[in-house]
Every structure is written in C-alpha cells, then in structure tokens.
Amino acid sequence: MAEIQIRNVAKRFGSYQALHDINLTIADQEFMVLLGASGCGKSTLLRIIAGLETQTTGEVWIGGRRIDHLPPKDRGIAMVFQNYAVFPHLTVFENIGFGLRMQKLRNDEVTRRVTRTAELMHIEQLLTRYSGELSGGQRQRVAVARALAMEPDVILMDEPLSNLDALLRLEMRAELKGVLAESNTTAIYVTHDQVEAMSLADRISVMHQGRIVQAASPVEVYRDPAERFVAGFIGNPPMNFLPASNHGNGRWAVADQVFAGPDVSAAALEFAIRPEDLRPADDGLEARVRLVEPLGAHLLLTCDVAGTMFRAILDSDMTVRAGDQLKLAAMPDRIRWFDPDTSLSVPTAA
Amino acid sequence: MNARLLPYVLILPVTLFLCLFFLYPFVLVAAQAFGGSDGLSLDNFRDVVSYWKFPISLKNTMLLAALVVPVQLALALLMATMVNRMKKGRDLVLYIWTIPLGISDLAAGIIWLAIFEQSGFLNSMMTGLGLAEGPVNFLSYQNPGLVFLAIALAEIWRATAIMLVILVAGIGLIPKEYYEAAEVFGASPWQRFLRVTLPMLRPSLQTALILRVVLAFEVFAVVAALGGTLLPVLMGEIYAYQFDLQNGGAAAAMALIVLGISIVFTLIILRVLRVPKGATI
C-alpha cells in the first residue's frame, strides 16, 4: 500500500513563494499527473516528494509513514528524470542495476531483476551498450527500466517524454501506461503537455502559480473546470468566454442572447463554452467569421462575437468563408459559468 | 582564400614555431646524446647510467613523485569538490588557492627555505614557544628524511593548484542530474563521489595527472633551494653534467632518459584512466 499524502506543503526560495500550502492525497496505485505551465511549481512538488528538495513547511506521507525527513533512498521511491540521467560511463545493464547495487543485492538477484525489467521495456538486446550508443527513445527506456528495477512503492516522473520526437512520444506514452498499470506502483507524473496528461492520468492535478487549482479525473477537469484558469488552460483551443449580465431569475444576457444559468444575485458572471459544443443554428450567438482553418474532420473557426474572440469547431462538410455571418447555438448542458471576481466555477444546478 | 586550405594556413605559424624552437633543438639534443667519437653510439647512456649517483637520483625523483602526486591528487579532488559546493565566494577562494601557481618554483623553494633554515621562521617559533633549546638545523645531511619531507611539502604547496584548476573545471561540467539520480537510487555522498564524480572526471584526471607527473620528474629548483646537493634528483644531475662537468653529451642522454620515463608514465596514465570503448563522457 502506498497512498501518498501531501499535507500543507509550502516552499519558498528566498522571497519567491514556489508552493503555497499544497494538500493532496494520491491513492495507492493511482496514476496522478501534475499538469501546469513552466514555473507553476509542479517540478518543485515532485522534487520535494523525491527528497531532492526540502519543503519549507508541511509533511509528506507515503504508505502511512512520514517520509519528508528521510533521504531519498529510504522513501520507497524511484524516479525518471527529464534528461534521463542515464550514466554515460556505465553499460545499460549497470545503469538499470545501479540502485540494486547500492542496496548490495546479490549478483544473481541483480541479474534477474535487470533482465526482467529490460525485457519489460524491450531493451534486453542493449544491455552491454553504453548510453552514448543509444537513441533518445532507448535512453528513455533505460531510465524507466532503472526505476522499475527498484520495485518501488512510488515512481516519480519529471517530464519523461518531453525530449522525444512526437511519434516516439505517442508510442512511449501508451507503453508507459501499460507497464505502470502492471507494476502496481503509485505514479506521479509531471508534464506541461495536456494531451499527455489526459491520456495517462487517473487523476490530474492542475497547478497554477504554486497552487493546485483542481485535482480531478481528466474528463472532469475538461468538462467541469473548477476555475477559469483551468477552463482557459485545458483544451486546444481552450474554452470561449463571454461576459454575462444578470437578467433576473437565473437568466443571463450574453451578447444579445439570454441563457438559463445559475440563480445567484451577482450582477455579472462569465459565460464559458467549449468550441466543439457550438452548432450552427437559426438562433444563437451572432458571430462574424474571421479565419477558417480546415483540420480534416473539422473546421476550426475563429470568429468575433460581441467584440470578443470566439472559436468554434464545426463539421468539415460546412461551407464557411472568412467574413461570413453565422449564428452559433451553445449546447445548453455544456455551458459553464464563472464568477469574474473569484474566478471560481458557479454551478447551475439549484 | 581556398576554404580547404585555410585551416592549414592558420596553424602554419604555430607549426613553424614548434619546429624551430622545439623539434629542431630536440633533434640536436638527440644527436648529441647518441653522438660518439665514431658516429652513433650509446656511450653517453652507458656512462650516465653506470655513474654512482644515477640510481640515487632516479630513486629520489621517483620517491618524490610517488609521495607528492598522490597527496596532491587527493588534496586537489577534495578542494575541487569543496569549491564546487560553494555558492558564495567561490571565485575568491579559488584565486587564493591558486596564488602559489603564480610564484616561480625557485621562489617557492626560497620561501620554504626561509621557513626551515637554521635562522628561519620555524626555528624562531619553536624557540619562542620554548619547544626547542636553540636553533635546529633541519636541512642538514644528518636529517635526509626531513630534507625529503620539506621538499615534498614545498612541492605540494606549490603545485597542487595546477591540478585543482583542471579538476574544478572538470567537476563543473558534470550535470547535476547525475548526482540527483545517484542520490535517488541510494548512493551515499561517498558512493556518489566514487561512482559518479571519479568516473565522469576521467578526462580531466588524465590531463591533470599527466601534467603533474611529468612536472614531478622535472623537479629541480625547489630541491636545489632546500636540499642543495643533499638530495640528488635527475634534473639536478642534468644541470651538473651540463654546467659543472661541461659534458653536453651526458646531459643530453639524461634528458632523453627523463623524456622516456615521462612518456612511459603518460602511456600508463592514459591506459589506466581510459574511457571504456563506446562510453561517452
């Protein structure tokens, strides 16, 4: 059992507050992705869990044991680094067996575990090579195998795929997910790539300016962003926003249209809708098309709605040209509302 | 200018310089060493090797190198590791540690002579503290061991920094991620030094050791200042042949012997510290 609990963890670098009061529980064998733009604190949080960085305040627990005062080797973790950190002076075999040698395991046990993990990562034919003789993808496999060979409770990954080319990244992503699911370890995976996060995660923690703004399943993060930041960060293109003013009785005026929304007393809210949740209709938001980008299956339209940039993804059998006037209807159950003051999501349901 | 010729044109001046001031004198020295009354001969070598002082000076030179170089290597590694960990004042410490590099070896010898001689600092201090009755002559023929130690100490003081600067540069090039990986996978600080720093420092260690070992075989001025003729070394013998005995042939032969020893040790160091085939550091 390796449930991870992060309790009130904060980190300061001099006068810079890198992490503010982080609280997060990661279930045993869960695949948790820390997602955020660079500088949001996701790597710092991972390094605190690894023991490469010390938190200013707070506690880290793994499997019911407080581990934040222990050296990395006593935390039951293994790590995959962004630049792989595969030792250039050791063979692939000795790289994978590095941690096992440090544990002073018997030779036959080291050989058994190295061979098994190498087979798992399909690099058994590379065991006598040096890292300089490997491709980026192969080095990545060695780095993952080295972590798996430790049979850790928790495996930590810091942007492990970001140095691979697009095709290889896709391949490794699928493989990583399979291998980790079989290994029964809890995984924490840091990335700035939301597609990677969506495809790998059981749960995503979206981080922004040293805070976790939402920790939820990929679908929930996508469908029900807890904050305006998440709505504007997740999705490519992200959600569209329009100002809404209170029309009374839970009705809201948005660009000359009236929508049913939350029954609150605020004077103004923000209306949000995903580009793919818009349909051309006889009645809807008045949009002037400014740019049409055919994406194969879809058309990506960049429009102007009440002076605000608005994106819509429509079926590619439509004929639309730049300059056209369109009416776009929003699917009612996909509309989300945000409080412009707190940036928090305002639920519609009474 | 033809782009294919340009590199050769650019290295031409230095090539000419080396040919004129290094290769040409070297050929002359070799000719002198192997020259005899009737053409090529090994007479000079036979003479210098069979001279009674040769084994003594060879032994002294080797013993000095064997004591000085490992101590310097250990010190330089320790100092380089310390400097590398420093966040503030790193450059200042490095400058201070490398001051001895800027002092000529004879001057260094004289500094240490001022410490060890009969009216030197060490004697005044010991007398002042009541540790000695009167001045002691440390550097006399009665204390060959002390003379040897004083020379070794002066050499260590003088030339550790040359290894230090090479090793500091080398350690600075090792990416931090390797240390973090080693730490996560359970290596203690000492194991990280043995299993990450040392192997990844091999190219710098090669350079530093070759430079230092070759210089150790050429030790002369410090020995002359502190030991005079009490501790014969190879370079001192070359000097004696050339200037006291006016025997250029013998001096040339000795010089070639020192060169031969240096080459052998360079090859040994290159072999021992070689990077395994296929590994890239």
Side-chain angles (χ1 to χ4, degrees):
Chain A
M1 284 295 287
E3 184 192 74
I4 304 169
Q5 289 187 359
I6 295 154
R7 300 182 184 168
N8 306 100
V9 165
K11 174 72 182 174
R12 295 184 74 85
F13 292 105
S15 63
Y16 175 66
Q17 185 91 33
L19 291 174
H20 302 266
D21 197 34
I22 300 282
N23 282 288
L24 186 65
T25 300
I26 300 161
D28 182 41
Q29 299 185 27
E30 189 175 22
F31 197 124
M32 170 63 87
V33 172
L34 304 180
L35 174 66
S38 64
C40 71
K42 57 191 191 300
S43 286
T44 306
L45 182 57
L46 191 80
R47 291 168 61 82
I48 287 172
I49 299 168
L52 293 171
E53 208 84 69
T54 312
Q55 71 280 12
T56 312
T57 54
E59 299 173 4
V60 182
W61 294 63
I62 294 180
R65 199 164 59 106
R66 185 173 172 189
I67 51 93
D68 53 65
H69 55 286
L70 299 176
K73 70 181 171 74
D74 298 329
R75 296 183 175 207
I77 54 142
M79 189 159 169
V80 180
F81 291 82
Q82 183 172 6
N83 299 322
Y84 321 133
V86 171
F87 300 114
H89 59 286
L90 298 178
T91 59
V92 167
F93 185 99
E94 286 305 323
N95 261 291
I96 300 175
F98 187 89
L100 308 176
R101 296 260 189 242
M102 292 296 124
Q103 292 179 348
K104 302 225 163 24
L105 291 187
R106 290 214 331 270
N107 247 329
D108 53 344
E109 175 68 5
V110 173
T111 310
R112 191 185 66 78
R113 286 221 229 164
V114 169
T115 317
R116 196 179 57 82
T117 41
E119 279 167 7
L120 202 63
M121 295 309 296
H122 308 295
I123 46 172
E124 63 271 27
Q125 73 287 359
L126 303 176
L127 286 174
T128 55
R129 301 257 196 107
Y130 286 94
S131 111
E133 303 168 303
L134 305 179
S135 68
Q138 290 171 329
R139 246 175 262 176
Q140 181 59 62
R141 286 166 186 276
V142 175
V144 175
R146 179 173 62 181
L148 289 174
M150 300 290 288
E151 297 176 1
D153 299 329
V154 178
I155 188 161
L156 306 173
M157 288 169 279
D158 190 0
E159 307 238 10
L161 304 183
S162 64
N163 288 352
L164 300 180
D165 60 55
L167 209 64
L168 208 54
R169 203 173 331 171
L170 219 66
E171 186 191 316
M172 274 303 288
R173 197 167 80 193
E175 212 172 311
L176 256 185
K177 190 165 181 166
V179 165
L180 285 172
E182 268 172 49
S183 70
N184 300 329
T185 46
T186 310
I188 307 183
Y189 186 105
V190 161
T191 183
H192 64 270
D193 182 335
Q194 47 173 297
V195 181
E196 216 169 278
M198 291 277 172
S199 68
L200 284 170
D202 292 325
R203 222 150 41 104
I204 297 176
S205 293
V206 183
M207 294 189 64
H208 181 50
Q209 293 180 345
R211 289 190 173 81
I212 292 177
V213 287
Q214 186 170 15
S217 73
V219 173
E220 192 179 340
V221 166
Y222 189 79
R223 284 286 168 231
D224 293 303
E227 275 193 34
R228 191 188 189 282
F229 168 79
V230 179
F233 181 70
I234 303 277
N236 186 22
M239 273 186 143
N240 295 301
F241 299 97
L242 285 173
S245 55
N246 203 332
H247 211 256
N249 301 324
R251 300 188 65 76
W252 296 83
V254 180
D256 301 333
Q257 293 278 309
V258 176
F259 291 88
D263 195 359
V264 294
S265 61
L269 283 181
E270 253 185 320
F271 164 94
I273 186 82
R274 292 222 170 261
E276 66 271 28
D277 297 332
L278 292 162
R279 297 281 178 275
D282 297 332
D283 190 26
L285 296 162
E286 284 277 353
R288 168 180 289 276
V289 180
R290 288 167 49 178
L291 190 68
V292 181
E293 294 169 78
L295 302 177
H298 304 284
L299 289 180
L300 172 61
L301 306 189
T302 304
C303 320
D304 191 334
V305 174
T308 308
M309 186 170 81
F310 211 77
R311 288 215 174 88
I313 293 175
L314 304 182
D315 229 59
S316 56
D317 55 14
M318 295 257 316
T319 29
V320 196
R321 278 188 204 82
D324 286 0
Q325 287 281 352
L326 272 184
K327 282 194 189 331
L328 294 170
M331 292 166 67
D333 58 329
R334 294 286 167 83
I335 298 169
R336 297 291 175 268
W337 304 87
F338 294 96
D339 185 323
D341 298 323
T342 62
S343 297
L344 293 178
S345 167
V346 182
T348 323
Chain B
M1 174 67 65
N2 188 331
R4 279 173 58 194
L5 277 179
L6 185 65
Y8 298 98
V9 174
L10 289 176
I11 62 165
L12 189 64
V14 94
T15 312
L16 282 178
F17 180 89
L18 286 177
C19 288
L20 191 62
F21 293 104
F22 180 77
L23 211 54
Y24 176 62
F26 177 75
V27 170
L28 287 187
V29 168
Q32 213 178 358
F34 288 103
S37 45
D38 46 339
L40 280 181
S41 90
L42 291 172
D43 288 349
N44 284 324
F45 289 91
R46 240 172 259 128
D47 284 351
V48 297
V49 170
S50 57
Y51 185 49
W52 67 274
K53 266 182 143 181
F54 179 79
I56 300 172
S57 55
L58 180 65
K59 190 187 86 183
N60 284 339
T61 309
M62 288 296 174
L63 279 179
L64 254 184
L67 175 67
V68 168
V69 175
V71 171
Q72 286 187 322
L73 177 64
L75 273 177
L77 277 170
L78 181 70
M79 289 155 88
T81 313
M82 284 161 69
V83 165
N84 204 51
R85 289 264 183 97
M86 291 179 72
K87 288 194 177 84
K88 279 181 192 164
R90 184 175 182 274
D91 290 352
L92 182 73
V93 169
L94 209 51
Y95 286 140
I96 292 171
W97 279 352
T98 47
I99 285 175
L101 265 191
I103 296 170
S104 82
D105 46 358
L106 183 59
I110 290 168
I111 291 173
W112 284 85
L113 183 64
I115 296 173
F116 284 117
E117 69 182 342
Q118 210 157 1
S119 55
F121 298 129
L122 188 58
N123 265 314
S124 335
M125 202 171 81
M126 284 173 66
T127 321
L129 290 172
L131 293 172
E133 296 283 314
V136 187
N137 189 2
F138 297 111
L139 305 174
S140 86
Y141 71 96
Q142 287 153 313
N143 309 319
L146 272 184
V147 174
F148 183 81
L149 277 183
I151 292 169
L153 201 60
E155 274 293 287
I156 290 166
W157 175 83
R158 185 182 72 80
T160 299
I162 184 91
M163 298 182 92
L164 173 68
V165 287
I166 297 170
L167 296 183
V168 164
I171 287 182
L173 287 177
I174 302 175
K176 292 270 176 293
E177 229 170 23
Y178 291 125
Y179 289 103
E180 292 185 342
E183 192 182 350
V184 165
F185 288 100
S188 66
W190 177 242
Q191 283 172 320
R192 269 173 275 170
F193 178 74
L194 287 184
R195 308 211 35 161
V196 180
T197 309
L198 278 188
M200 299 200 64
L201 205 54
R202 263 187 295 221
S204 305
L205 283 174
Q206 277 183 349
T207 313
L209 270 177
I210 289 170
L211 201 62
R212 192 57 204 103
V213 166
V214 168
L215 285 176
F217 293 141
E218 294 169 9
V219 67
F220 174 60
V222 170
V223 177
L226 287 172
T229 53
L230 291 178
L231 193 92
V233 288
L234 290 174
M235 270 299 155
E237 291 314 294
I238 297 177
Y239 182 89
Y241 274 122
Q242 181 71 34
F243 297 103
D244 301 342
L245 303 172
Q246 303 282 320
N247 185 348
M254 281 289 276
L256 286 192
I257 289 171
V258 173
L259 177 68
I261 295 172
S262 297
I263 290 173
V264 168
F265 273 84
T266 301
L267 292 176
I268 291 174
I269 293 166
L270 283 177
R271 174 77 191 161
V272 170
L273 292 177
R274 75 187 184 286
V275 174
K277 195 168 178 289
T280 43
I281 292 172

